[in-house]
Amino acid sequence: MNEIHDLAAAYALDALDPAEQDEFELHLAGCADCRAEVAELSEAAAGLVLTSSAPPPPPELRAAVLAAVVGVEQLPPTPGRPRRALPASGADEAEDGPVPVAALAARGSGADPVDELALRRASRRARVLSVLVAAVSVLALALGGVVYSLTRQAEAPIAGPPATQAPQVDPSLLAAPDAEILPARLTNGARVSFVVSKSQNRAAFVATDLPLPGAGNEYHLWTLKGDTVVRPDSTLPGGTNQTQLFTGPVDDSTALAVNIEPAGSDPQAPTTPVLGAVKI
Amino acid sequence: MSAQLVEMPFRLPTTGPGYGRRVNLHVVGDGPEPSGPSDDAVAAGARADRAQEAAALADLLHRVARGDSDAFALLYDATSTRTYGVVWRVLRSADHAAEVTQEVYTEVWRQAARFEESKGSVTAWITTMAHRRAIDRVRSVTSEVARDEHYARAEPGREIDHVWEGVSERLDADRVRKGMESLTPIQREALTLAYFGGYTQSQVAERLKVPLGTVKTRIRNGLISLRNTLGVES
């Protein structure tokens, strides 16, 4: 029996001494059998928590987690080849797959060092991803605008991960346990988002590229209950990087909507079709 | 004011079903619980549930990899109880557990595109990541002595049953429990010390005052036996 193969279980439990762990990770990179075994044993280890008692996550953690990733860049898929073993712990880990990625790397790929399907899949994903990353970055910029306009109301910012350089969305709005970002596609093609916290009774409208509404017109925001207007809310001119807080409350509404009205008008119900809406 | 909207090309929501609402994945597609089935049928049902859940989670993670923040929220809702549970169980501190859990999900977001369904389940991927980070944290912030006391305090009377929401999670919990019961006490203790106590094999050997080789064998046999009980397919 080769002793190093026997370390798979302890590795899956994160119970190797540092020197052993380094040694085993080096070995893993070249041993498909061990990678497969680590993958299986990791599934078993992940079941261990089911036998134990632990409190549920605190409700406010959800908003903090969701807020923490806003603007955080996503890594491209790794090509389908055996991954480099990882450092035992610490700061470098963020730049690389964590151990599970390495640990789970082998199942199904056998000893074949090049997984062509994975490569094709990876490159296809990379293409889609680059487009989406661009879109997400633009959205992040727009959300940065929300932060800017709400700075006065901002309280203690959420402790984000150290790697985050991207703008943070208004912490006090997004940190609400019930804060949600609700995307919508307007009938004129614009992609917009509504940021809503019912508990804070606030909402914001965000769009990176809102087509100009035509001479003499402007965008109007509405709060609705079902398809009935609760009240007209803010207006905005359209253009790039539009952010607009709802001035009124939202806790008496079930939906938010946007349409186009003549500039300076103050209709109590939309006089043109709603371009887009989200349920809240 | 309750004026009706004039003209109604007005559909809610315009972004498709599911957006912005919390969905409990565990109840999706579970179907009726069988009444009085054989063990085999239960096991088959649990496998089917697991497969279905695993596919749903993998689908969510693929959406997360494309920057879909709604999918990310749903993924959090579906996995955070277990993730936080693992981290809390290792760290025994709500503050540390919340911090580490947040770090874990940030990594999930960053690395979503690197997950490969063929190589393991989303649950194991996230749980392994969470455990690794919790262990790193506990080893860096806690002295072993403190951990000893912590562990000793926390262990007695520990089995307040957690309410696991998903049918297959409950079945899995039963199976893990049965699997644990079938281990020898010392195998069980070695596994628990290593996984939740954050001890390395040699530290476990010291604590249990048995030779390192024995601990290695017990940990290895214990986890392999658990794997077999859970029917992890390769």
Side-chain angles (χ1 to χ4, degrees), chain A residues 14 17 40 54 104-105 129 180 183, chain B residues 15 20 65 119 131 162 200 202 234:
Chain A
D14 294 319
D17 295 308
E40 286 182 17
L104 302 177
L129 200 69
E180 289 182 296
Chain B
T15 45
K119 316 240 160 113
H131 186 255
H162 191 102
T200 66
S202 18
S234 47

Side-chain angles (χ1 to χ4, degrees), chain A residues 47 50 52 93 104 127 137 140 142 150-151 171 186 191 200 226 260-261 273:
Chain A
L50 296 173
S52 79
E93 192 174 309
L104 302 177
R127 278 197 302 278
S137 310
L150 297 179
T151 309
L186 304 189
R191 288 188 174 281
Q200 294 201 352
I260 294 175
E261 298 288 348

Side-chain angles (χ1 to χ4, degrees), chain B residues 161-222:
Chain B
D161 259 351
H162 191 102
V163 182
W164 295 100
E165 287 177 1
V167 170
S168 69
E169 252 177 0
R170 283 203 303 274
L171 290 171
D172 276 351
D174 287 347
R175 286 145 64 87
V176 179
R177 235 176 253 127
K178 279 188 192 125
M180 289 295 268
E181 281 164 15
S182 73
L183 304 182
T184 66
I186 201 145
Q187 277 179 335
R188 200 154 53 225
E189 176 141 38
L191 269 188
T192 309
L193 276 175
Y195 193 72
F196 292 121
Y199 295 101
T200 66
Q201 295 190 114
S202 18
Q203 289 168 335
V204 172
E206 268 170 48
R207 280 183 61 91
L208 299 183
K209 301 187 170 42
V210 289
L212 178 57
T214 312
V215 165
K216 286 183 173 178
T217 311
R218 280 169 182 162
I219 283 183
R220 180 179 147 76
N221 292 346

Side-chain angles (χ1 to χ4, degrees), chain A residues 79-119:
Chain A
R81 58 182 156 71
R83 291 170 177 82
R84 186 170 67 78
L86 294 162
S89 66
D92 299 348
E93 192 174 309
E95 266 326 292
D96 224 317
V99 169
V101 179
L104 302 177
R107 189 196 291 181
S109 65
D112 186 354
V114 180
D115 178 346
E116 291 215 0
L117 187 64
L119 276 174

Side-chain angles (χ1 to χ4, degrees), chain A residues 9-31:
Chain A
Y11 181 78
L13 296 167
D14 294 319
L16 290 178
D17 295 308
E20 266 180 331
Q21 175 156 324
D22 292 348
E23 189 190 353
F24 185 70
E25 285 178 343
L26 277 176
H27 168 75
L28 258 190
C31 179

